């Protein structure tokens, strides 16, 4: 809402209805700038005593009408309403005609034989107050809605007379009260309803959007027997959607654990692989990072114990680094967790284009988050803002260098030597098995005698055989959690993708090796073995 209009509305309400009313209007307007917010007062009129005689049959209708409700009110038929619809200006539309056909009643006010206004009455006990809000009324209640008085006849109390005449209808003689609603901030209408004899019995608060909202019914309203009714089609469609989701999840889960591995190995034998998959993201494997600064550094003798590290740098070779997200995440994490440690990360990738993007270290917010979430510490620790871009800061960039390397064809050992930690993640599953085997051997040759290999995203059968052949030990510490984390980026029907990964199936041979993503080379210190036991 435009601020000027907002101020004008609030000021006008203050002038006419006082400060408290103006505050309510102002607050509601502000809330409605953020979401759909509505407060309705549910009001009730009791059958006046003068009409009790009619209800009990002790007095004829004519006598009662003379007591208050005049014969100037009559029930509208469809032809009359169609005529008013044709004339226009009466607010009669197809929806109202449909309500008439559904059993609602329109009472017309007549002045000197002319139609002067109308009011609608619902007797079914389940009125739709507004689109999406249907209420169940207590037994014996009418519901009055959509009152209208033609401008030529306003001010003559016709609405009030129509309300009174409701009680003269013989068909409704057994009904004891009539409900309606008024918007809480419609102070003029509230006053009018009060004059008609209505009193408030409770409130409904609606919060959400116009299409979907939550309705909160005040305790007083509930005590009086009013309930919200879900639209049957709404309930059915929601229940159906839920059922479908559950059935799909159960079906996918069942396939995952039974035929999935077989379907997947069949697919892998037939599918074409490509080395152009470059999906990556910052903070892709948070529990792996915890393992790095926990048991992995302990295995390398770089844990934070007196005498640990001792100025010895941590050298990391990170292959298939894509746009640099993984390398920068590692650098930022190590700087945060182990500022005492000198860290050298040599990252490489097959694609020169990705390497130049990695070197630039400049990302948009959507590249940085991949439309998911990244922790605040990572953004604060790693980036400087330059306009709309996030640029890797000097302190993070300083420890990382980038070059082009092919893990299949290059002699990595000759080129990079050996490192404490070697990382080749989410690349081997994009290679055909013979090439993946070659690349694995090539990568493993760059492990120092005591080292750790991070190898998320490779064929599980290959992982078992190759890690065994190279005498690498799986790190058991939180390995199931790490594995499940790595599957977050894989579609639920994983067996339909060559890079899919089965769920952790404990009955598989050597599960730690099969699903492990971190492997240790060299004798593990006691602390790492204890951690493995505690996992
Ligand atoms: C899916 S990305 C993985 C990026 C990152 N390691 C991660 O886990 O988020 C795979 C990367 O492997 C690279 N790649 C493919 N074949 C390669 C090869 N033979 N040698 C080196 N890198 C390769 C691609 O260029 C791509 O950047």
């Amino acid at each position: 809402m435009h601020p000027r209009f907002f101020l004008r509305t609030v000021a006008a309400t203050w002038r006419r209805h006082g400060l408290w009313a103006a505050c309510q209007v102002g607050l509601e307007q502000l809330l409605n700038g953020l979401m759909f917010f509505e407060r309705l007062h549910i009001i009730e009129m009791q059958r006046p005593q003068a009409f009790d005689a009619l209800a009990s049959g002790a007095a004829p209708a004519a006598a009662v009408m003379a007591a208050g409700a005049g014969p100037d009110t009559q029930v509208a038929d469809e032809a009359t309403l169609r005529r008013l619809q044709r004339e226009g200006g009466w607010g009669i539309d197809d929806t109202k005609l449909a309500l008439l056909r559904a059993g609602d009643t329109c009472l017309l006010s007549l002045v000197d034989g002319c139609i002067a206004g109308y009011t609608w009455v619902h007797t079914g006990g389940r009125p739709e107050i507004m689109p999406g809000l249907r209420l169940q009324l207590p037994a014996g209640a009418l519901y009055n809605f959509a009152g209208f008085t033609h401008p030529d006849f306003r001010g003559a109390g016709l609405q009030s007379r129509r309300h009174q005449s409701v009680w003269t209808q013989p068909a409704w003689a057994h009904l004891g009260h009539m409900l309606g609603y008024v918007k809480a901030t419609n102070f003029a209408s509230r006053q009018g309803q009060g004059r008609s004899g209505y009193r408030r019995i409770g409130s409904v608060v609606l919060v959400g959007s116009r299409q979907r909202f939550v309705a909160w019914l005040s305790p007083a309203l509930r005590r009086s027997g009013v309930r919200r009714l879900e639209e049957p089609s709404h309930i059915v469609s929601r229940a159906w959607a839920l059922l479908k989701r559950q059935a799909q999840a159960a079906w996918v889960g069942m396939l995952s654990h039974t035929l999935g591995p077989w379907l997947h190995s069949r697919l892998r034998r037939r599918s074409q692989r490509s080395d152009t998959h470059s999906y990556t993201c910052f903070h892709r494997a948070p529990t792996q990072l915890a393992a790095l600064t926990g048991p992995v550094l302990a295995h390398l003798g770089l844990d934070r114990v007196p005498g640990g590290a001792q100025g010895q740098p941590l050298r990391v070779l990170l292959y298939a680094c894509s746009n640099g997200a993984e390398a920068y995440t590692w650098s930022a994490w190590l700087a945060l967790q182990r500022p005492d440690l000198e860290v050298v990360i040599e990252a490489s990738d097959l694609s020169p284009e990705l390497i130049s993007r990695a070197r630039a270290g400049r990302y948009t917010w959507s590249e940085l988050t991949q439309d998911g979430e990244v922790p605040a510490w990572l953004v604060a620790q790693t980036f400087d803002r330059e306009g709309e871009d996030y640029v890797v800061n000097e302190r993070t960039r300083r420890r990382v260098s980038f070059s082009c390397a092919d893990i299949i064809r290059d002699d990595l050992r000759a080129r990079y030597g050996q490192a404490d930690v070697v990382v080749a993640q989410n690349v081997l599953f994009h290679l055909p098995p013979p090439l993946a085997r070659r690349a694995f051997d090539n990568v493993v040759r760059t492990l120092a005698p005591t080292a750790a290999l991070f190898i998320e995203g490779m064929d599980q059968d290959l992982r078992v055989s190759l890690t065994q052949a190279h005498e690498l030990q799986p790190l058991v510490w939180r390995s199931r959690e790490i594995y499940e984390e790595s599957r977050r980026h894989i579609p639920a029907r994983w067996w339909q993708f060559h890079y899919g990964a089965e769920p952790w199936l404990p009955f598989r041979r050597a599960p730690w090796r099969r699903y492990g993503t971190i492997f240790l080379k060299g004798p593990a210190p006691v602390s790492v073995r204890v951690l493995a036991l505690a996992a």
Side-chain angles (χ1 to χ4, degrees), residues 50-51 53-54 58-69 168:
F51 296 89
L54 179 67
V64 177
M65 280 174 190
T168 67

Side-chain angles (χ1 to χ4, degrees), residues 274-282 284 318-323 325-327 348-351 354 404-410 423-431 439 456:
S274 136
D275 56 15
T276 55
H277 288 270
S278 59
Y279 175 81
T280 188
C281 66
F282 284 89
R284 182 172 187 162
L318 196 151
Y319 301 112
C321 68
S322 186
N323 69 3
E326 192 180 18
S348 59
D349 195 278
L350 180 68
S351 154
L354 287 169
C404 278
D406 180 344
I407 56 170
I408 302 168
R409 287 165 201 94
D410 291 350
V423 188
Q425 309 220 79
N426 302 304
V427 56
L428 295 189
F429 58 13
H430 289 310
L431 305 176
E456 177 180 302

Side-chain angles (χ1 to χ4, degrees), residues 315-334:
R315 183 154 184 263
V316 178
L317 289 174
L318 196 151
Y319 301 112
C321 68
S322 186
N323 69 3
E326 192 180 18
Y328 289 132
T329 303
W330 275 53
S331 170
W333 173 255
L334 285 164

